[in-house]
Every structure is written in structure tokens, then in C-alpha cells.
Amino acid sequence: MASDLVRFSVAMPQGLLDELDAYAKRRGVRLNRSEALRDLVREYLVEEATVAPDEEVAGSITMVYDHHTPGLAARLDKIQHRHASEVISVMHVHLDHDSCLEIVAVRGQSRIVHNMADCMLGLKGVRHGKLTCVAVCQAD
Ligand code: NI
């Protein structure tokens, strides 16, 4: 309902806005920017809310970062050492002169895994990042 909608302004780089428009176009001609944004926010929040904070999850933290950013590699390393119980495996790929791709396989309490991902992906110099995880099913 229109009366439930709240307007707010969002600032984003032109490139990201272009990508949002391209996403809206792919999803359907009648999807405008607001609808596309609502879609994406819901999708993200629902994904995060489906697992209880104390439930065990397994997944991966995937990120691309600029290894020239001072102190970044050390900070990422420190977070992983702090979460040694959650980190199962790490794959590091030197993409090119500036960029590294790192994929960290994780397993642990949802709350802890999400905190760890937030700490890593929020660091300056991390260009792209995503935590993908699912609840670890208990065998009956
Ligand atoms: Ni590298």
C-alpha cells in the first residue's frame, strides 16, 4: 500500500546505479528502481534471517581486495586467526598486480560467522565481498 511506503534518498556511484537499472530490466520491464531495491533488500534480509543466531552454519566468505591497501592483508589475517575455530580452509588467488581473491571456508555459530564476515568485508580496501552460508543439517 502506498501509505506504508517511506521515501528516503540514496546516494550511490553511477556505475552501481547502472547495474541496479540493468538488474531491474532483467527482472522485468515494470520493475522500477524502488521495486528493484526493495527486492534486493528483502532477499538479503530474508537470507540472513532464516538461520537462528545460535544455529550452526557452513559456507564461505568470498572477497576481492586491493593488496596495496596499507595494513589490509594483516587485518584480514588477524581476524582469521581470532576465528581459528570457524575457519576451515582458505584459498588465496593473486588475480593481477593489484587484486587478490580470497575464499574462506567457514563453519560455526551463525552469529559468530556473520560477525566475522562483517568485520572482514567492512575493511577499507575490500572491493567486493559476500558471505554465503547455510544451516548445517543434523542427521536424524
Ligand atoms: Ni594475493
Side-chain angles (χ1 to χ4, degrees):
M1 242 188 285
S3 58
D4 294 328
L5 298 175
V6 176
R7 282 192 179 278
F8 66 103
S9 57
V10 177
M12 65 173 75
Q14 183 63 50
L16 189 58
L17 186 59
D18 292 344
E19 286 178 46
L20 178 67
D21 288 340
Y23 166 81
K25 204 170 177 182
R26 281 199 305 276
R27 292 293 304 267
V29 286
R30 275 176 294 185
L31 199 68
N32 62 35
R33 277 179 185 164
S34 290
E35 289 164 333
L37 258 184
R38 286 200 290 272
D39 249 29
L40 293 170
V41 170
R42 269 192 214 107
E43 193 178 313
Y44 180 83
L45 295 178
V46 163
E47 192 180 306
E48 203 177 57
T50 47
V51 180
D54 58 347
E55 205 168 342
E56 189 183 13
V57 295
S60 64
I61 301 167
T62 303
M63 63 199 146
V64 172
Y65 66 88
D66 183 346
H67 83 127
H68 294 304
T69 303
L72 177 58
R75 282 188 201 103
L76 289 170
D77 217 40
K78 197 174 172 185
I79 294 167
Q80 290 183 47
H81 276 278
R82 203 190 305 145
H83 289 280
S85 321
E86 282 76 35
V87 175
I88 303 167
S89 176
V90 182
M91 180 164 74
H92 184 100
V93 180
H94 310 300
L95 285 180
D96 56 34
H97 184 69
D98 305 312
S99 307
C100 299
L101 164 69
E102 198 155 288
I103 303 166
V104 184
V106 289
R107 181 177 188 160
Q109 252 189 18
S110 176
R111 180 182 48 80
I112 296 171
V113 167
H114 278 86
N115 282 347
M116 180 191 172
D118 289 341
C119 287
M120 293 173 86
L121 303 180
L123 291 174
K124 186 176 184 286
V126 176
R127 285 202 297 264
H128 301 285
K130 191 170 167 56
L131 164 67
T132 307
C133 65
V134 291
V136 176
C137 296
Q138 302 291 324
D140 288 320

